[in-house]
Amino acid sequence: MIGSGNNKDCEEWFFDRIVRGRPVLIPGSGMHLTNIAHVRDLSSMLTLAVQNPAAASGHIFNCVSDRAVTLDGMARLCAKAAGTSVEIVHYDPKAVGVDAKKAFPFRNMHFYAEPRAAKEILGWSATTNLPEDLKERFEEYVKIGRDKKEMKFELDDKILESLKVPVAA
């Protein structure tokens, strides 16, 4: 989930590395699919369910975006939103001795669902656009000064060292 006020540190995780010229470390091949949904789309789906209790009753809705992106694709979209390029480094968490859950903000597997029931039963449709949403998020990121905040990347450095990739000073 992305959007202003969101407590998940997902796109910021990418921005933190990209703006500092650091590689983005992605466990596995980077080809795993995930949904990235904007809070505006998610809240519109929930609103439709509340406004239509007769239609929504007894149904389960996947409260997700209707588009998937690869993990590498997310890194590239974040770099594009920041107006720069990105170096992506893939690694095997077990081989480097790290817990991927602590080193990366997404699951290291396909994690995709579709909102078919919400579309068919509630008439929901997404109104946001991930590349544009990420540009908006990057503007907010810079506005709050996080791009200038001092950060340590100790786990990243451990992974890079084990891969024999030079660590940025």
Side-chain angles (χ1 to χ4, degrees):
M1 173 174 34
I2 67 170
S4 188
N6 173 20
N7 68 350
K8 299 288 281 177
D9 202 32
C10 293
E11 65 275 16
E12 293 90 351
W13 184 92
F14 289 92
F15 294 149
D16 287 343
R17 287 145 182 84
I18 291 166
V19 301
R20 290 166 180 83
R22 294 185 59 94
V24 169
L25 305 176
I26 298 179
S29 70
M31 293 295 107
H32 290 108
L33 294 172
T34 191
N35 291 90
I36 307 294
H38 197 288
V39 295
R40 285 191 304 260
D41 279 339
L42 301 178
S43 62
S44 71
M45 185 186 298
L46 292 171
T47 299
L48 284 172
V50 170
Q51 290 173 339
N52 299 298
S57 180
H59 294 284
I60 296 172
F61 300 99
N62 290 323
C63 208
V64 296
S65 167
D66 59 353
R67 294 261 167 109
V69 63
T70 65
L71 299 177
D72 277 8
M74 183 65 176
R76 288 188 187 100
L77 287 173
C78 286
K80 187 173 182 180
T84 191
S85 60
V86 63
E87 175 189 0
I88 298 171
V89 174
H90 298 109
Y91 67 97
D92 176 353
K94 288 180 183 170
V96 299
V98 298
D99 181 354
K101 292 177 189 175
K102 293 182 178 165
F104 191 66
F106 293 96
R107 296 170 192 228
N108 187 24
M109 65 179 77
H110 291 299
F111 193 69
Y112 176 77
E114 61 177 321
R116 184 181 323 158
K119 287 179 166 188
E120 292 173 0
I121 296 167
L122 301 174
W124 176 83
S125 62
T127 61
T128 59
N129 174 293
L130 183 57
E132 292 304 314
D133 297 339
L134 288 170
K135 285 180 190 174
E136 177 186 297
R137 295 297 297 140
F138 185 72
E139 289 170 10
E140 291 176 30
Y141 176 88
V142 171
K143 185 177 179 180
I144 64 168
R146 185 159 165 172
D147 62 322
K148 304 286 189 244
K149 181 179 176 185
E150 185 157 336
M151 297 189 166
K152 294 187 180 199
F153 298 94
E154 293 167 353
L155 194 50
D156 285 22
D157 291 346
K158 177 183 176 181
I159 295 166
L160 290 168
E161 184 179 320
S162 84
L163 296 173
K164 301 193 181 350
V165 174
V167 178

